Amino acid sequence: MSGNDTPETETDGGTGIVPPDDETPTWSERKERTQGLSRLTYEYFERARREDQDLRQESSYVERDVLGFPAWPHEMIRNLALTSFFVGMIVFLSATLPPEMMPPANSSSTPAVILPDWYLYWSFGLLKLGPLNPELALLGGQKLMADRTYGVLANLVIVGAITIVPFLNKGAARRPVEQPFWASVGVFGVIFAFTIAVLSVKNLVPMGSHLLFDLTFLLPFVGGFISYAILKSMREGYMFTLNRRYYRLRPPK
């Protein structure tokens, strides 16, 4: 590079231009430009950038060092600002759009359709798995347990499976593409929660009950296999790009 050429800037995989450290505004320059919360934000990120740069120069490890900051004032101010915003929105909506007061229920008549709250549809759908309750020949063709008991047991199995997943997957992946299998398991669970919720309101769905019952268990497997295939095909290119960016930021010593 000749004396008249300007220093080249590094590109971050086509996503943007990362300026070199000598062109980044200094601590004092940023501190003089801002006031109030903006000043505190600049100080927060500038401190992170400066300390991270110092650690990169002093550390003999290839791994990226993780920085920690005290909860006060940076984290507390951010959390209080977010909490105040959402609480204010809830108060505003409750004051401007109060819920409609419906007429009192008639205890002498039973509604045509009885449903729980929408977020419990999946659990209500598990109570309708009577067709899967096996009939045992040893019992003379009778079922081992009642359909209602079978549905309650299905709820316990599903909740137990959700509880045990974090103990089975102890990886450090932060993106679905890094672990396609567990990502596809999550897609399977989301689709199954939706389909079993639709099954709980099958009386309101314009579809045959047998077809709806089959789709309830078929669609989650199809979605899981498709998501696994897509993420598996993306994983090699993603890891190559990730490693290239990592070593460009911090060359191995």
Side-chain angles (χ1 to χ4, degrees):
M1 182 176 64
S2 61
N4 297 329
D5 295 336
T6 57
E8 297 180 356
T9 56
E10 298 181 359
T11 58
D12 190 11
T15 59
I17 298 177
V18 180
D21 291 336
D22 55 356
E23 295 182 6
T24 305
T26 62
W27 169 271
S28 58
E29 290 175 348
R30 291 192 176 186
K31 191 173 183 181
E32 293 172 358
R33 293 179 186 177
T34 56
Q35 298 292 334
L37 184 60
S38 300
R39 175 177 177 176
L40 184 63
T41 305
Y42 272 120
E43 292 178 359
Y44 178 79
F45 287 105
E46 180 64 21
R47 177 185 174 189
R49 187 196 66 81
R50 189 176 59 176
E51 293 189 7
D52 183 68
Q53 180 181 354
D54 295 340
L55 284 175
R56 280 197 240 169
Q57 295 176 353
E58 298 174 0
S59 177
S60 60
Y61 294 97
V62 176
E63 291 82 10
R64 189 179 180 88
D65 298 285
V66 179
L67 298 178
F69 296 94
W72 176 261
H74 304 90
E75 304 296 333
M76 289 297 296
I77 291 179
R78 183 196 62 184
N79 295 339
L80 288 175
L82 293 175
T83 303
S84 301
F85 173 77
F86 286 108
V87 171
M89 289 298 298
I90 293 174
V91 174
F92 173 76
L93 292 176
S94 62
T96 57
L97 301 173
E100 182 182 359
M101 297 299 295
M102 304 300 292
N106 187 1
S107 59
S108 61
S109 62
T110 303
V113 179
I114 301 177
L115 294 174
D117 293 330
W118 63 268
Y119 50 82
L120 294 176
Y121 280 1
W122 66 272
S123 180
F124 191 62
L126 292 175
L127 298 177
K128 298 186 177 183
L129 298 182
L132 296 181
N133 193 358
E135 297 179 355
L136 302 179
L138 297 177
L139 300 178
Q142 297 180 356
K143 297 181 178 181
L144 181 62
M145 64 185 70
D147 291 342
R148 184 177 301 177
T149 306
Y150 186 81
V152 174
L153 183 62
N155 275 271
L156 295 178
V157 171
I158 295 298
V159 174
I162 296 174
T163 305
I164 202 174
V165 164
F167 297 95
L168 297 177
N169 179 25
K170 296 183 179 180
R174 296 186 177 182
R175 296 172 179 83
V177 70
E178 297 179 8
Q179 287 191 344
F181 173 76
W182 289 107
S184 61
V185 170
V187 173
F188 173 89
V190 171
I191 298 178
F192 180 70
F194 177 79
T195 55
I196 200 69
V198 174
L199 181 65
S200 67
V201 293
K202 60 182 180 180
N203 296 333
L204 305 177
V205 178
M207 184 183 298
S209 59
H210 296 288
L211 177 60
L212 181 61
F213 193 85
D214 294 338
L215 291 178
T216 300
F217 298 94
L218 179 62
L219 291 180
F221 283 101
V222 173
F225 282 126
I226 292 176
S227 60
Y228 177 80
I230 294 176
L231 294 174
K232 189 69 174 179
S233 62
M234 295 171 54
R235 188 175 187 275
E236 183 176 356
Y238 167 80
M239 297 303 295
F240 173 79
T241 304
L242 183 65
N243 291 333
R244 183 180 63 181
R245 292 180 180 179
Y246 177 82
Y247 286 109
R248 177 170 295 180
L249 287 173
R250 186 179 196 180
K253 296 182 179 181

